[in-house]
Amino acid sequence: MLEHGQFWRNKELREHIAVVDNKITPHIVFKNSTYLNVYTKRWEKGNVWIYKDRIVYVGERLPEKTDGCEIIDCTGQYLVPGYIEPHAHPFQLYNPESLAYFAAKYGTTTLINDNLRIISLLDTDTAFRLIEDLHELPVSSFWWGRYDSQTIMRDEEAFLNTDEVLSWLSHPSVIQGGELTSWPQLLAGDDRLLYWLQETKRHHKRIEGHFPGASENTLTKLKLLGASADHEALDGEEALRRLRLGYHVTLRHSSIRPDLPVLLDDLLAEGIDAFDQLTYTTDGPTSTFIEKGLINVCIEIAIKKGVPLIDAYRMATYNVAKYYGLDELIGGIAPGRLAHINLLYEKDDPTPLSVLAKGKWIIKDGIECTPTKKINWKQYGIEPLSFDWELTEDDLQFSIPVGLHMHNDVILKPYAVEIDITASNLGTDNNDAFLLLLDREGTWRVNTVLRGFTRELGALCSTFSTTNDIILIGKCKADMQLAWRRMKEIGGGIVVVHKGKVLFELPLSLAGAMYDGSIETLIEKEYELKNILIDAGYEFKDPVYNLLFLSSVHLPYIRVTPKGIIDVMTRETIVPANMR
């Protein structure tokens, strides 16, 4: 069975009936189970039969045929549906495969994924083949269809034109459009974008917003234009405003915005006792934030804050499935659903001791099981980078009097550069650093200065960026050259150099954007990177996101993009890119 709309074939459906009729043996039976029935909102007793990837029976009976059947006595344990992450960005150094397996170990067995990185790296046919391959993993994967790139690309029209956007929106694996970061352009009269939204609705799919700080008036207009949901509420007042206007509201707990405790405190203080329109998201966290899991952590916070126990679980399961029209497939323990089941020690401890995904064990009695499927990334052209050009001394000439000032992890403001930036090194008496955005193909560059990222660091080179281009940040041009050379040698990645010595490297062998390894290892590497940066004067929370956000024009106030330095509010080019 494929989750994207091609349901079980007739022969398979007849087999499922035969299992119920005791003519075929189920593969797994959970007997004496106490399971959460998300439909009755009760903990109920029963036996749960699994055949291949599907739940085929839930009730009082035990099968008559048990040869080869794995029977698990669940006395003293509790079964809940696999959790659903409705807003995953599966390319935050990790990749969709590594995130899927890691999330599943902590009970999140369904991911609804952003397609932005895929559409910027692959042509549509290749991307769809990759999606089909990812469907073979035990974790269920669904996708968004993006309307914009969140930056200003030179070739954006190549992958975000009407034909490409509508191809994604019509694909059965794509269950929503968005996230809608280009809403200012929509309100300003962008009729092509409005047409894409209308087509999303015609396909009976949801539209995910991205409306931080939006007023009631703005939210109302966006609702009229088709927005279905939003995950950008920063406090309970903003969440409640969205609920009152009929939005489905996803409460965020991410590495950049770990807001869930405050959101729940505020909503509960307002007396909210209806939770059907609420879900959770970790919103593409960096790996160090998810050491203890994804949605299981959100459920735990909700329980501790006083959300009724069953509602806390439904927000992670049935509410998501119902919103997307997937409630006959995922989100519950009932006949016909995919066999995504978490076994818990206690009702109020959502981190499972065993996880079943599509009828396959991900973790069993606390022991991790060997993955049953591996993605061959090379067959999609996703492999280490190679460069046939060199970084020259001319590329490291800085004279632009406008720089980018980091006020926090998200906000960049323009400032007048007052120090001498024509020298080979910048002093450690300030926190200004050279910033170079360099075309991956070597055709253009943007030279400026970044304030706030470091006080001492020689150089950081990264192929991980919003635009898939190369970022160089540093105080020392010689170190920047060395970081560049080492990055080339490892085929793309993040390299840190100081005083002529390579201090850190993280190979991103999957197109220079993703790590081809476990998230556990990636967590260690991210901690190492952050500690090195802190020692060099870094003062913010999330350097990985800082690299992404340098080019993200949905955030205020100034960004560096392939077309140059951009005023986000006016979309005017302050300083154009230089052709090499």
Side-chain angles (χ1 to χ4, degrees):
M1 187 272 173
L2 299 177
E3 301 94 295
H4 58 45
Q6 299 178 19
F7 288 83
W8 290 272
R9 295 179 176 86
N10 286 1
K11 178 177 181 295
E12 294 171 311
L13 293 172
R14 295 300 181 189
E15 288 178 352
H16 300 166
I17 298 301
V19 175
V20 177
D21 287 339
N22 287 304
K23 296 176 181 177
I24 295 178
T25 304
H27 290 103
I28 300 173
V29 171
F30 298 105
K31 73 174 185 178
N32 301 325
S33 68
T34 300
Y35 71 96
L36 175 59
N37 190 315
V38 295
Y39 314 104
T40 64
K41 297 182 71 172
R42 297 173 60 184
W43 294 97
E44 300 191 0
K45 302 283 188 179
N47 302 306
V48 181
W49 303 8
I50 310 298
Y51 183 73
K52 296 183 179 178
D53 60 353
R54 199 180 194 195
I55 301 171
V56 296
Y57 175 82
V58 180
E60 296 181 356
R61 291 194 295 123
L62 285 169
E64 296 174 7
K65 298 174 71 68
T66 59
D67 290 346
C69 176
E70 182 180 8
I71 299 177
I72 299 166
D73 190 342
C74 295
T75 302
Q77 299 178 25
Y78 303 91
L79 276 61
V80 296
Y83 312 139
I84 306 169
E85 167 54 88
H87 194 89
H89 297 274
F91 305 101
Q92 306 300 56
L93 295 183
Y94 42 72
N95 64 71
E97 177 186 25
S98 63
L99 178 63
Y101 280 119
F102 182 85
K105 287 188 289 186
Y106 294 91
T108 300
T109 56
T110 299
L111 301 172
I112 301 174
N113 292 316
D114 182 5
N115 75 331
L116 183 55
R117 185 72 70 180
I118 279 185
I119 63 175
S120 67
L121 291 174
L122 303 176
D123 65 77
T124 302
D125 289 342
T126 304
F128 288 164
R129 287 194 295 110
L130 174 58
I131 284 176
E132 296 297 326
D133 206 4
L134 288 165
H135 279 309
E136 299 301 316
L137 300 178
V139 175
S140 293
S141 294
F142 299 93
W143 294 85
W144 325 345
R146 280 278 191 167
Y147 304 120
D148 64 83
S149 67
Q150 294 191 172
T151 187
I152 296 178
M153 307 277 281
R154 288 175 173 267
D155 61 344
E156 183 167 320
E157 188 66 21
F159 61 88
L160 280 171
N161 57 64
T162 294
D163 287 344
E164 296 297 323
V165 169
L166 297 189
S167 291
W168 277 89
L169 292 175
S170 62
H171 193 281
S173 294
V174 175
I175 60 174
Q176 72 175 12
E179 53 187 315
L180 185 56
T181 55
S182 54
W183 61 268
Q185 290 72 43
L186 177 66
L187 292 180
D190 186 334
D191 279 339
R192 184 176 75 159
L193 178 55
L194 181 56
Y195 170 65
W196 293 349
L197 268 62
Q198 293 281 64
E199 286 296 292
T200 308
K201 292 295 190 180
R202 190 175 68 82
H203 286 291
H204 305 289
K205 296 180 180 182
R206 302 292 194 172
I207 296 173
E208 177 66 24
H210 183 100
F211 312 141
S215 67
E216 179 187 71
N217 196 45
T218 296
L219 289 169
T220 297
K221 292 177 183 178
L222 292 166
K223 203 76 178 75
L224 291 171
L225 293 173
S228 310
D230 188 57
H231 60 281
E232 287 287 334
L234 304 181
D235 56 35
E237 180 182 351
E238 292 192 359
L240 193 56
R241 183 185 305 150
R242 287 157 172 76
L243 287 170
R244 286 171 174 153
L245 293 174
Y247 280 82
H248 186 89
V249 178
T250 302
L251 305 179
R252 178 171 52 188
H253 194 63
S254 72
S255 52
I256 288 290
R257 297 290 320 189
D259 295 328
L260 184 59
V262 170
L263 288 163
L264 291 173
D265 281 341
D266 290 351
L267 288 172
L268 292 170
E270 286 288 335
I272 289 293
D273 58 3
F275 300 90
D276 292 352
Q277 287 288 101
L278 296 172
T279 53
Y280 317 103
T281 182
T282 57
D283 193 14
T286 43
S287 65
T288 53
F289 188 78
I290 55 173
E291 276 188 283
K292 296 182 180 180
L294 281 81
I295 298 300
N296 60 303
V297 174
C298 297
I299 301 169
E300 182 178 357
I301 290 170
I303 293 170
K304 289 180 178 177
K305 288 295 180 181
V307 174
L309 187 65
I310 290 175
D311 284 310
Y313 282 107
R314 278 170 51 105
M315 287 167 66
T317 55
Y318 180 73
N319 289 9
V320 189
K322 184 71 173 178
Y323 169 72
Y324 285 109
L326 298 171
D327 49 306
E328 291 193 357
L329 184 64
I330 56 175
I333 297 176
R337 277 61 177 177
L338 278 171
H340 291 320
I341 297 176
N342 294 331
L343 281 71
L344 310 179
Y345 287 105
E346 302 289 345
K347 290 180 182 178
D348 59 358
D349 181 1
T351 300
L353 71 138
S354 299
V355 177
L356 194 73
K358 292 184 189 172
K360 295 181 172 65
W361 291 109
I362 302 295
I363 187 168
K364 187 177 180 183
D365 296 326
I367 299 173
E368 186 176 344
C369 301
T370 303
T372 56
K373 165 74 177 178
K374 287 286 290 180
I375 301 297
N376 178 5
W377 294 99
K378 286 187 177 181
Q379 70 179 347
Y380 303 104
I382 297 178
E383 51 192 342
L385 298 179
S386 60
F387 302 88
D388 59 2
W389 52 276
E390 291 296 335
L391 184 69
T392 68
E393 289 186 8
D394 286 344
D395 292 322
L396 296 175
Q397 300 305 309
F398 295 82
S399 60
I400 301 301
V402 178
L404 286 67
H405 184 183
M406 292 180 64
H407 281 256
N408 56 36
D409 279 296
V410 175
I411 294 175
L412 293 173
K413 293 184 177 180
Y415 79 102
V417 178
E418 298 176 346
I419 63 171
D420 179 12
I421 58 173
T422 63
S424 296
N425 300 285
L426 298 181
T428 58
D429 58 343
N430 60 69
N431 58 357
D432 295 330
F434 299 120
L435 170 60
L436 176 64
L437 182 67
L438 196 58
D439 176 32
R440 183 175 286 195
E441 303 301 324
T443 61
W444 54 261
R445 58 181 167 84
V446 183
N447 300 62
T448 184
V449 182
L450 180 65
R451 172 174 287 177
F453 187 81
T454 188
R455 183 168 290 273
E456 298 181 6
L457 190 69
L460 179 149
C461 183
S462 173
T463 54
F464 177 77
S465 65
T466 293
T467 64
N468 295 321
D469 296 308
I470 301 158
I471 297 169
L472 275 160
I473 302 170
K475 291 275 191 175
C476 173
K477 292 180 181 179
D479 284 348
M480 294 170 78
Q481 284 275 15
L482 176 55
W484 153 261
R485 291 195 296 272
R486 184 56 187 157
M487 179 279 294
K488 285 182 62 178
E489 290 171 357
I490 64 174
I494 300 174
V495 175
V496 176
V497 172
H498 190 61
K499 294 184 178 180
K501 180 180 179 182
V502 176
L503 301 183
F504 172 89
E505 59 184 51
L506 175 65
L508 299 177
S509 58
L510 301 181
M514 297 169 282
Y515 179 63
D516 190 15
S518 72
I519 287 187
E520 288 84 353
T521 302
L522 187 58
I523 289 169
E524 295 175 2
K525 296 295 287 185
E526 276 192 27
Y527 274 127
E528 182 184 353
L529 172 62
K530 188 171 182 179
N531 288 336
I532 290 170
L533 295 179
I534 288 171
D535 288 344
Y538 177 78
E539 297 178 348
F540 300 109
K541 295 179 182 177
D542 201 327
V544 174
Y545 258 105
N546 298 156
L547 296 174
L548 278 182
F549 286 165
L550 284 172
S551 300
S552 298
V553 297
H554 66 294
L555 301 169
Y557 290 90
I558 184 173
R559 303 288 147 169
V560 57
T561 78
K563 290 192 175 181
I565 300 174
I566 302 295
D567 182 322
V568 171
M569 309 307 287
T570 65
R571 294 300 171 107
E572 293 179 354
T573 301
I574 300 171
V575 178
N578 293 307
M579 303 307 293
R580 298 178 73 244

